[in-house]
Amino acid sequence: MSIEDRIRSLRESLHYHDHCYYVLARPEISDAQYDGMMAELQRLEQEYPQYADPLSPTQRVGDDHDNAFTQEAHGYPMLSLGNAYSFDELRDFEGRITRILPREPVEYACELKYDGVSINLKYEGGRLVRALTRGDGEKGDDVTANVRTIRSIPLQLRGSGYPGSFEIRGEIILTNEGFAKMNREREENGEVPFANPRNAAAGTLKLQHSALVARRPLDCFLYQLAGEELPFATHVENLNAAREWGFKVPSYLTRCHSLQEVFAYIEKSELLRDSLPFNIDGIVIKVDSIRQQQLLGYTAKSPRWAIAFKFRAKQAVTRLLSVDYQVGRTGAVTPVANLEPVLLAGTVVKRASLHNADQMALLGIREGDWLRIEKGGEIIPKVVAVELERRKAGSLPMVFPERCPVCGSALVRQKGEARHFCPNDTGCPPQIKGRLVHFVSRRAMDIALAEATVEQLYGRGLLQNVADFYRLRKEQLLQLDRFADRSADNLISSIEASRQVPFERVLYALGIRYVGETVARRLAAHFRSMEALSRASREELMQVGEIGDIIADSLLSYFSDDRNRQLISDLQQAGLQMTAGETPAPRSGLLAGKIFVLSGVFTRFSREGMQQFIEENGGRCSASVSPSVHYVVGGDRMGPAKREKARQLNIPVITEDELLVMAGRP
């Protein structure tokens, strides 16, 4: 056998075994055998680069190159579905179909509505050539490099009978097990856990390095084909064929011959919901006939031949045992209900956030109340109501504490704030520990320290503020639990490396209230140094995009405190970066000197993406409409107050497309 034939044979075998393991869940060989074939293929591809193929199984691991996403057009629009919340609304849906197709029997295809991120895959000659996110429905981000790392997505189709060119749509998801594993790893690394599997999948898909994507357990279910030469006349038959070509088409797909069968499918699926290894939030109902789909057509926003039936959020009733008042790193005090354990949406719930004093008063919670709790799209349960008919006579209203439950300081609540705060930021232990943990987190200084180790260092008096990290010595670390020479050396090296973290991340790491990553980047880009920022007046701060009254006041308060100024001086002496690096040249100067205000929801950009685009082309963003603003960029659901203020000041309101034209990007 020639080298080329051996490479081809190994690729075919590995593709086959990927399909067996990740799609069929029926592995035929051991992990060791699979790894042996993969190692041989990697060696041969390195020795004979003339046989390289971007769809080789070896490319599933991704790479560390920065993938700047470009926008590409879908071959067929990816429209949203209309929603139904009751069987009556489904009867209305069928009535609309009957009015257009009065003399034709209609069958329906029913599928689970997977709670993930929509993806559109394009295949030519049986090979994956492009993967796009939904985007605005007309165009999406090209995430091909990331999608190639998802092993349940075939790079090369199996069998025969597939069209020469077609698109197939699906949902990229994380299973509950994969999500739990990811969050455990994030917590161990000192990172904030994801709120839910959908957010985690969406964030992963937009990572700039495909090698990072490859390390996360993404999966993909496929549910819709689009093309001119589909092999069958019905949706169900086409998806069954796609399963034979190697796509992961779930077995929950069912053809229903009447609306009554659709109702039965919905009721059965809702009972099944909690036992599934992934999240669903409803059922999708489609007209099965492709010809009838074409006759029914589309509205401006959605197909007339499909609708999503949305499940109501799961609820349970349980008894309130007590309320804890937790103090965060900013001093915010959050009430948390301790509950009698109850099973809800597949997990046992023991705690639920009550958010703030206003929410507690709105619910009217009393000691010993029975509470109705809900877990919708988020993982964290919330209290939605009190079961008043079960309330015990003589029960007392819950009273929000006047003093910090940890340090005893009198709580404050500033005008316009929903939460109470402990003002003792230098003496309240949870605030101190919270700032220490935030400082070492990955998006801040990226020091390899678990939260438990920070707790230990604080408990032994080795850490009182973040400057103390740079005073730690190896002999001190060796006194800690589970620390030996190697782990101590690794931590010292990690602390040393953090001295090179850029200025904007140092600013974010300080944990100044309301100064998140985006605000820190804007402040660093505008003032260029900690010294200039610390001396800025309120008016100078307000000139920076996205800086309003609240953030400006927080910054002024922070830098007016002598203890904070001393901390910054200590960090500067420790060698941290207190000035910004070179500013990259703008992509164009076409927006130079122009100030923009953004309002509403945009289709081509996220809010942060539009701000970045404006700055890359020489412009600046402001948080509020004022006489110094040149344009307001209005999107869907634009705020009426900003529109009226722009009208009063005679400031043009432009669309995002008009902004693109101004920047030379029609």
Side-chain angles (χ1 to χ4, degrees):
M1 180 183 292
S2 69
I3 294 297
E4 183 178 7
D5 287 341
R6 179 56 180 165
I7 289 174
R8 184 182 297 111
S9 173
L10 285 168
R11 286 173 180 164
E12 290 174 355
S13 294
L14 288 166
H15 281 314
Y16 171 77
H17 290 297
D18 275 345
H19 178 73
C20 290
Y21 187 93
Y22 293 101
V23 178
L24 303 180
R26 294 198 301 265
E28 295 184 0
I29 60 174
S30 68
D31 290 348
Q33 289 172 302
Y34 181 94
D35 293 342
M37 286 194 291
M38 180 67 78
E40 181 183 356
L41 179 58
Q42 288 173 323
R43 178 179 59 78
L44 290 174
E45 288 180 342
Q46 289 172 357
E47 292 179 8
Y48 301 94
Q50 64 269 34
Y51 301 130
D53 185 338
L55 300 187
S56 170
T58 59
Q59 303 306 302
R60 294 280 199 185
V61 297
D63 61 46
D64 287 320
H65 293 108
D66 199 335
N67 298 315
F69 301 122
T70 59
Q71 289 248 317
E72 300 289 343
H74 297 296
Y76 305 86
M78 290 186 72
L79 302 181
S80 302
L81 295 180
N83 291 328
Y85 297 90
S86 68
F87 286 176
D88 282 343
E89 288 178 290
L90 290 183
R91 292 186 182 97
D92 292 341
F93 166 68
E94 184 173 61
R96 294 191 293 271
I97 292 171
T98 303
R99 284 193 291 273
I100 299 174
L101 305 173
R103 289 179 294 276
E104 295 191 24
V106 175
E107 293 185 327
Y108 300 100
C110 289
E111 307 158 6
L112 303 182
K113 188 175 184 297
Y114 312 108
D115 193 14
V117 182
S118 297
I119 195 70
N120 185 32
L121 309 174
K122 183 174 183 179
Y123 285 79
E124 291 182 352
R127 292 164 63 87
L128 175 65
V129 295
R130 183 175 296 162
L132 303 179
T133 61
R134 180 192 295 278
D136 64 359
E138 298 290 336
K139 293 182 178 180
D141 288 336
D142 188 336
V143 290
T144 309
N146 287 349
V147 163
R148 283 177 179 158
T149 69
I150 302 174
R151 294 180 180 269
S152 56
I153 293 178
L155 304 178
Q156 171 71 57
L157 299 185
R158 301 160 50 80
S160 60
Y162 43 79
S165 177
F166 70 99
E167 295 178 4
I168 186 165
R169 279 79 189 268
E171 204 83 357
I172 291 178
I173 68 161
L174 275 164
T175 63
N176 296 334
E177 181 182 356
F179 173 70
K181 180 182 178 183
M182 272 182 55
N183 266 355
R184 283 196 300 271
E185 292 174 352
R186 290 179 70 83
E187 289 171 347
E188 288 169 2
N189 293 333
E191 299 174 308
V192 177
F194 285 113
N196 55 52
R198 188 189 185 283
N199 287 0
T204 300
L205 196 60
K206 289 299 187 73
L207 290 173
Q208 295 292 320
H209 299 284
S210 58
L212 297 178
V213 181
R215 297 183 197 127
R216 296 187 177 180
L218 294 181
D219 206 341
C220 184
F221 294 157
L222 284 307
Y223 52 67
Q224 183 77 42
L225 275 80
E228 299 299 323
E229 300 177 349
L230 300 184
F232 295 100
T234 69
H235 173 73
V236 170
E237 287 175 302
N238 281 318
L239 281 183
N240 286 336
R243 189 183 288 115
E244 298 301 315
W245 305 335
F247 292 110
K248 194 166 188 176
V249 177
S251 59
Y252 306 101
L253 171 69
T254 299
R255 179 184 284 126
C256 295
H257 303 284
S258 68
L259 203 57
Q260 289 304 316
E261 290 187 16
V262 172
F263 295 163
Y265 179 89
I266 290 171
E267 291 170 346
K268 178 182 176 182
S269 299
E270 191 153 19
L271 292 174
L272 182 70
R273 182 182 178 188
D274 291 345
S275 62
L276 292 171
F278 48 81
N279 285 352
I280 63 172
D281 58 1
I283 300 298
V284 176
I285 301 106
K286 302 172 183 174
V287 171
D288 191 32
S289 165
I290 304 299
R291 181 187 63 82
Q292 289 179 336
Q293 289 181 8
Q294 293 168 346
L295 290 172
L296 290 165
Y298 302 83
T299 68
K301 294 184 177 180
S302 59
R304 291 191 180 93
W305 44 266
I307 196 167
F309 181 88
K310 301 297 286 289
F311 292 143
R312 292 180 180 176
K314 288 286 187 179
Q315 295 187 339
V317 174
T318 187
R319 189 163 59 92
L320 174 66
L321 301 178
S322 63
V323 175
D324 291 338
Y325 296 89
Q326 297 181 341
V327 183
R329 68 175 174 84
T330 65
V333 179
T334 302
V336 178
N338 295 308
L339 307 169
E340 200 167 79
V342 61
L343 185 65
L344 174 61
T347 59
V348 175
V349 175
K350 299 178 181 179
R351 292 163 67 80
S353 174
L354 294 171
H355 302 293
N356 53 55
D358 288 347
Q359 183 67 17
M360 289 179 65
L362 184 66
L363 291 166
I365 291 178
R366 296 190 176 191
E367 295 177 359
D369 270 348
W370 288 85
L371 306 179
R372 183 169 295 278
I373 59 174
E374 177 177 292
K375 184 160 53 168
E378 300 298 320
I379 293 300
I380 300 173
K382 60 181 179 181
V383 178
V384 294
V386 175
E387 298 285 292
L388 295 176
E389 67 277 7
R390 301 180 71 173
R391 174 173 284 169
K392 290 184 179 179
S395 63
L396 300 175
M398 304 293 293
V399 178
F400 203 90
E402 296 181 354
R403 294 189 170 274
C404 175
V406 180
C407 71
S409 300
L411 298 180
V412 297
R413 183 178 181 181
Q414 297 177 355
K415 185 178 180 181
E417 287 278 7
R419 295 178 295 179
H420 289 73
F421 288 86
C422 171
N424 184 19
D425 55 347
T426 58
C428 186
Q431 293 188 61
I432 298 171
K433 289 186 284 187
R435 285 196 299 273
L436 293 169
V437 171
H438 172 74
F439 186 82
V440 302
S441 64
R442 186 172 180 181
R443 294 181 183 275
M445 302 305 293
D446 195 17
I447 296 173
L449 258 178
E451 184 173 345
T453 306
V454 173
E455 289 260 8
Q456 209 180 150
L457 288 165
Y458 175 78
R460 298 200 178 201
L462 297 176
L463 293 178
Q464 284 300 316
N465 63 48
V466 296
D468 290 336
F469 284 112
Y470 299 93
R471 302 185 181 105
L472 290 173
R473 301 187 307 276
K474 181 178 178 179
E475 54 268 29
Q476 294 174 315
L477 298 176
L478 291 174
Q479 298 172 17
L480 303 180
D481 297 339
R482 297 186 298 277
F483 258 79
D485 278 345
R486 184 174 179 181
S487 52
D489 287 338
N490 287 343
L491 177 53
I492 294 295
S493 297
S494 182
I495 293 172
E496 183 64 30
S498 74
R499 300 177 202 268
Q500 304 307 313
V501 164
F503 169 50
E504 64 266 21
R505 283 172 54 193
V506 175
L507 180 56
Y508 168 64
L510 291 176
I512 303 171
R513 191 181 298 176
Y514 308 120
V515 178
E517 291 178 84
T518 300
V519 170
R521 281 198 300 270
R522 300 197 182 289
L523 291 169
H526 185 88
F527 291 102
R528 313 298 300 162
S529 72
M530 190 72 80
E531 178 65 21
L533 174 60
S534 67
R535 295 180 181 276
S537 67
R538 195 171 192 277
E539 292 71 25
E540 289 170 328
L541 290 169
M542 296 280 285
Q543 291 175 9
V544 181
E546 293 296 297
I547 304 299
D549 294 337
I550 294 175
I551 299 177
D553 288 343
S554 177
L555 287 162
L556 291 171
S557 174
Y558 183 87
F559 287 115
S560 67
D561 191 316
D562 290 339
R563 293 167 300 184
N564 294 332
R565 298 181 75 89
Q566 181 60 52
L567 175 64
I568 290 169
S569 176
D570 291 345
L571 292 174
Q572 189 166 17
Q573 291 181 16
L576 272 65
Q577 304 298 308
M578 295 294 173
T579 58
E582 292 297 320
T583 304
R587 185 181 297 178
S588 79
L590 294 175
L591 303 182
K594 300 290 190 294
I595 300 175
F596 298 82
V597 169
L598 309 180
S599 181
V601 179
F602 304 101
T603 57
R604 301 182 187 279
F605 293 95
S606 65
R607 178 67 66 93
E608 185 173 341
M610 182 171 286
Q611 291 171 351
Q612 182 178 342
F613 176 80
I614 288 170
E615 292 169 358
E616 286 175 348
N617 288 279
R620 291 195 295 116
C621 289
S622 175
S624 56
V625 181
S626 68
S628 62
V629 171
H630 295 89
Y631 298 96
V632 175
V633 187
D636 188 28
R637 300 195 295 276
M638 177 183 175
K642 287 185 177 176
R643 187 182 292 279
E644 177 59 22
K645 188 74 176 290
R647 187 191 65 77
Q648 293 173 0
L649 296 174
N650 202 27
I651 298 171
V653 177
I654 62 174
T655 67
E656 56 184 317
D657 286 343
E658 289 172 319
L659 172 67
L660 287 170
V661 172
M662 289 175 62
R665 294 275 302 279

